[in-house]
Amino acid sequence: MVNCVSILGSTGSIGRQSLDIISRLPSVKVAALTAGTSVERMAQQCREFRPELAVMATQEAAQQLAQEIKDLPVRVSWGEEGLIEAATVPSADCVITAVVGMLGLKPTLAAIRKGKRIGLANKETLVVAGDLITRLVQEYHAAILPVDSEHGAIFQCLVGEHDQEVEKIILTASGGPFRNYSLDQLRHVKAADALKHPTWKMGAKITIDSASLMNKGFEVIEAKWLFGLRPDQIDVVIHPQSIIHSMVQFRDSSIKAQMGLPDMRLPIQYALTYPTRVQASFERLDFAKCTSLTFEQPDTTRFRNLALAVDALNKGGNM
């Protein structure tokens, strides 16, 4: 279990849920918080969690924040340098990287070089630099724990198992709001339609990527690096109910599945408290209400992004 955390992207969906978990773990402190330009929300977080450092994306937002919290003993910084500083604060033994896109790469590399535990919610970091990241994790004795439902599920299924016993992993996908749309219907969808995810409440970018299965393509690539797999050991199955979060098939034909209601707080809490499990007040899965679990194969003709991601993974390199 970690003692002190820095959260990169604290005002986003994963960041806010991470702070919700930390508020329930009295022994865990907050070292640093970073955000884009959400000054008001960051000011509220600083008042509640009292980090030693708060970082905004722009100098203007940082100046506004400094004025808002001038009565607090919180140092305010901004930009990429501030982000890297937040990722390497000496008091933090864990860094949750919940920023979006390539922005997460440099601070994640910096945190790894300090030997910190990384709670990884930033898929792009492993997608674009998986080989580099995994080599540095070994070199600096850092650790990456996945902070998402699918890879968090795989991670939990692998606890107590041996790597050589894994035959393949099976990532589940809800199929998103357009699962049953024809190609003709897909030509007419709007962004607002894509933001109506049927089972998960997530940030806008991930919700859009999920609607096109781009997010699942990222997860396939991410899984290779997280778990040391070959591309042919990674399958995707559509599971509309989002109850089974992913599965591992072993060489004796057994399959382990991690199940639960769709709630991102569970994988976040597990990443913070691993290797222990702590009591949580999350809603429990009730099989009296959940009476049907269905599965189907993804259609990569309609959802080409998944096929493109798998193709890129097979080709390797800069693809």
Side-chain angles (χ1 to χ4, degrees), residues 6 39 72 165 180 215 227 233-234 257 270 292 298:
S6 288
V39 173
L72 298 179
E165 295 174 350
N180 295 317
N215 193 57
F227 305 114
Q233 290 179 288
I234 307 167
Y270 192 71
S292 177

Side-chain angles (χ1 to χ4, degrees), residues 27-166:
S27 64
V28 179
K29 308 301 180 187
V30 175
L33 300 173
T34 84
T37 55
S38 302
V39 173
E40 185 176 342
R41 180 167 280 169
M42 175 61 93
Q44 293 172 349
Q45 292 178 349
C46 287
R47 292 195 178 280
E48 182 175 356
F49 294 95
R50 303 298 176 102
E52 57 190 87
L53 175 65
V55 179
M56 303 301 293
T58 67
Q59 186 175 19
E60 180 183 3
Q63 290 170 342
Q64 293 176 11
L65 177 65
Q67 185 63 28
E68 286 281 335
I69 61 171
K70 60 184 178 182
D71 57 317
L72 298 179
V74 178
R75 187 164 57 85
V76 178
S77 185
W78 64 282
E80 185 176 77
E81 287 187 10
L83 199 60
I84 292 172
E85 185 181 2
T88 56
V89 170
S91 59
D93 54 354
C94 176
V95 179
I96 294 180
T97 59
V99 293
V100 173
M102 283 284 291
L103 186 64
L105 179 57
K106 285 186 178 180
T108 301
L109 290 171
I112 289 170
R113 290 188 172 103
K114 296 295 183 181
K116 297 184 185 293
R117 176 185 293 194
I118 312 294
L120 188 69
N122 174 250
K123 293 179 174 62
E124 291 85 353
T125 291
L126 279 178
V127 170
V128 301
D131 182 53
L132 174 62
I133 293 289
T134 50
R135 282 190 282 112
L136 289 176
V137 164
Q138 291 184 341
E139 181 179 349
Y140 289 95
H141 306 289
I144 293 184
L145 274 68
V147 176
D148 64 45
S149 63
E150 294 81 6
H151 298 102
I154 298 298
F155 185 79
Q156 291 181 60
C157 289
L158 290 175
V159 170
E161 303 288 353
H162 299 290
D163 293 344
Q164 69 271 20
E165 295 174 350
V166 175

Side-chain angles (χ1 to χ4, degrees), residues 230-251:
R230 302 186 310 272
D232 65 318
Q233 290 179 288
I234 307 167
D235 280 353
V236 174
V237 66
I238 303 297
H239 170 50
Q241 295 81 20
S242 297
I243 296 298
I244 294 178
H245 299 303
S246 278
M247 297 169 271
V248 178
Q249 180 174 299
F250 298 93
R251 63 183 180 182

Side-chain angles (χ1 to χ4, degrees), residues 249-312:
Q249 180 174 299
F250 298 93
R251 63 183 180 182
D252 64 355
S253 81
S254 295
I255 293 179
K256 273 189 181 181
Q258 190 267 326
M259 306 173 70
L261 293 171
D263 188 338
M264 280 302 302
R265 294 176 300 169
L266 175 56
I268 293 169
Q269 177 172 289
Y270 192 71
L272 290 173
T273 62
Y274 176 81
T276 61
R277 291 186 184 271
V278 300
Q279 184 68 29
S281 59
F282 311 148
E283 185 181 355
R284 268 49 176 176
L285 177 61
D286 183 352
F287 283 102
K289 299 176 182 177
C290 175
T291 57
S292 177
L293 301 178
T294 62
F295 306 92
E296 58 198 62
Q297 290 301 303
D299 184 339
T300 53
T301 302
R302 286 181 299 142
F303 297 96
R304 291 183 59 245
N305 283 340
L306 177 57
L308 286 170
V310 172
D311 187 40

